[in-house]
Amino acid sequence: MGRIAIFTDDPGWHGKQLSLAFANLGYSSDFVSLTQCYFSIEPGQPPVVIPGFEQAMPDAVFVRGVPGGSLEEVVLYLDILHALKVMGIPVYNDGYAVERSVDKGMTSFLLHNAGLPTPLTWVLRNRDDALSIAENELKKGHLLITKPLFGSQGEGIRRLEKTTDLFWLTSSHGVYYLQRFVHCSGEGFSDNRVFVVNGRAVASMRRRGKSWLNNVARGASCERIELDTEMAELAVKATAALAMDYAGVDIIQDKDGHYTIIEVNSIPAWKGLESVCDITVAQILADDLINRYVNA
């Protein structure tokens, strides 16, 4: 039986689903935190130490979570992912994909550079410049989103609606990330999550938020939608622009009917998606990893 290392600090439901999916393919799974992994550069030994894999390295690594921490800590976690890939061990999604998506500034740049529709965005260091941009946008009648450069599930996101809100404009460790707010079409608040695996959009859903934040972790409801060709193509191109094996791509349709890519997630959850779609996401992911990288 082969062995898979699943990097996560909280296996939970997703970890269980992945473990079952890999077992169906003849592979056992071990949950490991990247905080427990380290480099050991000495002759005759593997340079990367993964607890539980001291005798033999895993056949592949599935990245289900990268812990937060200081810059040095996060760099170490990503370096371990990079090193494993250099050693010939498949890493899914790999360190570069995680880097590109975890850094929202780079995500915005890469989407724009690929010619894909994404909101107007500013990432800068100077507070006075950030305030000037924000004031100018508000005067034009636009709302702004400000959020941490690194973050997920809606943590730390604020919407700036009026000039007095600028008193609350704070940096994320010295960096300001500002993005023009996109008003969705229809009633209320909603966006679309498209799940892409190996260059194919496999499922989609609409998320309806209780407020302008449409994260399921924030109480948004899920409903199945039929994926049209344009949205599927945008999701696939966004995933390719960030060089990911799989991704959860968030797309909003604005009041003029145009699609805009809001975010590309390299470690997306799929419990909400599975609740409305007749697919087993973990099995699709496990099949892709094993058949494309391990048994190739």
Side-chain angles (χ1 to χ4, degrees):
M1 177 178 283
R3 295 181 70 199
I4 306 294
I6 301 176
F7 285 145
T8 179
D9 288 297
D10 180 21
W13 180 87
H14 289 85
K16 181 179 180 181
Q17 296 301 307
L18 284 169
S19 185
L20 290 171
F22 283 119
N24 288 337
L25 299 172
Y27 290 81
S28 64
S29 303
D30 290 62
F31 300 117
V32 184
S33 171
L34 274 166
T35 62
Q36 299 173 305
C37 302
Y38 59 93
F39 286 105
S40 180
I41 312 299
E42 52 184 301
Q45 301 294 327
V48 175
V49 177
I50 304 175
F53 292 87
E54 290 83 2
Q55 302 305 314
M57 297 300 279
D59 293 286
V61 165
F62 191 103
V63 182
R64 181 63 212 140
V66 176
S70 67
L71 176 61
E72 290 82 358
E73 287 171 324
V74 173
V75 167
L76 173 60
Y77 306 148
L78 292 171
D79 282 349
I80 289 168
L81 299 183
H82 293 318
L84 290 171
K85 186 173 182 180
V86 170
M87 293 166 63
I89 297 170
V91 179
Y92 190 96
N93 277 310
D94 69 20
Y96 291 108
V98 174
E99 276 182 355
R100 293 180 183 104
S101 65
V102 159
D103 179 350
K104 292 181 173 61
M106 182 53 68
T107 298
S108 295
F109 164 75
L110 289 171
L111 292 174
H112 175 76
N113 193 57
L116 299 173
T118 195
L120 271 67
T121 303
W122 299 264
V123 187
L124 63 162
R125 180 71 180 81
N126 186 280
R127 177 173 173 78
D128 289 339
D129 290 342
L131 284 169
S132 177
I133 290 167
E135 288 174 358
N136 190 46
E137 281 291 288
L138 291 174
K139 286 178 182 176
K140 291 179 179 178
H142 303 297
L143 305 184
L144 278 174
I145 296 295
T146 177
K147 49 188 170 182
L149 204 60
F150 306 124
S152 62
Q153 299 186 330
E155 293 288 343
I157 298 180
R158 287 180 177 271
R159 187 169 73 165
L160 306 179
E161 303 175 359
K162 52 191 182 300
T163 53
T164 52
D165 291 341
L166 297 182
F167 289 114
W168 305 104
L169 182 61
T170 56
S171 67
S172 174
H173 298 282
V175 175
Y176 296 89
Y177 180 100
L178 302 170
Q179 191 170 72
R180 183 179 288 181
F181 181 76
V182 180
H183 296 272
C184 69
S185 61
E187 297 294 323
F189 304 96
S190 67
D191 67 7
N192 306 293
R193 162 63 63 88
V194 183
F195 211 92
V196 177
V197 181
N198 188 21
R200 184 172 69 91
V202 298
S204 60
M205 67 175 176
R206 178 169 291 118
R207 306 183 300 185
R208 293 195 179 276
K210 294 180 178 179
S211 69
W212 54 270
L213 274 174
N214 295 309
N215 301 78
V216 174
R218 296 277 173 166
S221 62
C222 307
E223 61 184 67
R224 182 174 182 169
I225 59 171
E226 292 301 320
L227 190 61
D228 65 53
T229 302
E230 182 183 358
M231 201 190 315
E233 287 181 352
L234 283 176
V236 168
K237 288 179 180 177
T239 305
L242 274 71
M244 295 178 177
D245 293 305
Y246 75 102
V249 184
D250 298 339
I251 299 176
I252 195 167
Q253 186 174 37
D254 66 22
K255 291 191 176 296
D256 294 324
H258 302 128
Y259 288 129
T260 299
I261 302 167
I262 301 296
E263 199 158 344
V264 185
N265 304 274
S266 63
I267 309 176
W270 60 81
K271 192 172 184 179
L273 184 71
E274 267 197 21
S275 72
V276 296
C277 296
D278 299 324
I279 61 170
T280 304
V281 173
Q283 196 63 62
I284 294 172
L285 295 171
D287 288 347
D288 184 48
L289 168 55
I290 297 302
N291 293 327
R292 194 152 55 96
Y293 290 116
V294 180
N295 292 338

